[in-house]
Amino acid sequence: MPELLKQRVETCYQQAEAFFKRPFPRPEVSFKLRGQKAGVAHLHENRLRFNLQLYRENQDDFLRQTVAHEVAHLVAHQLFGDRIQAHGEEWQLIMRGVYELPPNRCHNYAVERRVVTRYIYRCPCPESDFPFTAQRHKLVRQGRRYLCRRCRAVLVYSGETRVE
């Protein structure tokens, strides 16, 4: 499946080269992106990362819109440098002029949010629940201390958890 995506990256580059009449270095393409983002362009490393799960679930739109969106970031950076806005007029020019696509900033793919456990910490202040992530809870177990900003007391694990 990633081969179609890589082919689309190449097609986008060929379109940009024909439009601007100059070559562009090809990026490294990775599929190690998770979470809510469909794709990320790393401008200074000339690297693209894509979310394979979102690609599988939205293949047609992903190939058409998301790949062009991320390639347009790299092309805009190589043409105009660091001082442009990520979704500014230069990037929009490439989306409209080169790829003939709407310059949509964000995707609208359905993304399932992860269920996360929060560890509830408290201090003497009234109604003081501090939901800690698993990572922060682990740091406390290893000896790190966190203080309440109001009363400056050490936050203490209540033994309660909450699933969000």
Side-chain angles (χ1 to χ4, degrees):
M1 228 185 321
E3 284 310 311
L4 277 176
L5 201 148
K6 286 181 179 179
Q7 288 173 3
R8 173 66 174 145
V9 168
E10 179 59 28
T11 300
C12 287
Y13 269 96
Q14 289 173 3
Q15 286 178 269
E17 288 174 339
F19 188 89
F20 291 108
K21 297 184 181 8
R22 64 159 276 193
F24 292 98
R26 299 307 191 257
E28 173 192 337
V29 177
S30 159
F31 303 103
K32 294 181 181 176
L33 184 61
R34 294 174 26 188
Q36 296 190 358
K37 292 183 178 180
V40 175
H42 297 275
L43 306 178
H44 298 286
E45 295 102 44
N46 195 32
R47 186 164 52 106
L48 297 172
R49 288 191 309 149
F50 292 106
N51 185 323
L52 265 184
Q53 183 65 37
L54 290 180
Y55 170 59
R56 287 186 191 108
E57 294 169 359
N58 308 280
Q59 188 170 344
D60 291 341
D61 188 69
F62 199 103
L63 287 171
R64 187 176 54 79
Q65 183 75 26
T66 301
V67 173
H69 175 120
E70 299 308 331
V71 169
H73 282 301
L74 294 180
V75 169
H77 179 260
Q78 290 165 10
L79 284 170
F80 304 107
D82 285 333
R83 297 189 186 268
I84 61 170
Q85 293 183 341
H87 296 104
E89 61 185 85
E90 298 86 356
W91 175 82
Q92 290 179 32
L93 163 93
I94 294 165
M95 287 298 290
R96 284 190 187 104
V98 177
Y99 303 123
E100 298 177 353
L101 291 170
N104 299 332
R105 290 190 54 188
C106 303
H107 67 76
N108 57 1
Y109 306 142
V111 179
E112 280 191 36
R113 295 195 58 113
R114 281 189 310 160
V115 174
V116 293
T117 301
R118 300 291 184 201
Y119 298 83
I120 308 303
Y121 281 73
R122 294 201 172 99
C123 72
C125 295
E127 299 180 33
S128 67
D129 277 9
F130 295 90
F132 278 23
T133 63
Q135 183 177 0
R136 184 167 281 186
H137 179 64
K138 180 181 176 184
L139 290 171
V140 170
R141 290 194 330 251
Q142 293 172 350
R144 180 162 304 169
R145 296 173 4 157
Y146 293 91
L147 304 178
C148 172
R149 289 185 178 172
R150 280 183 276 165
C151 70
R152 307 298 295 161
V154 174
L155 300 179
V156 178
Y157 179 50
S158 67
E160 298 173 34
T161 59
R162 179 170 69 217
V163 177
E164 296 177 346

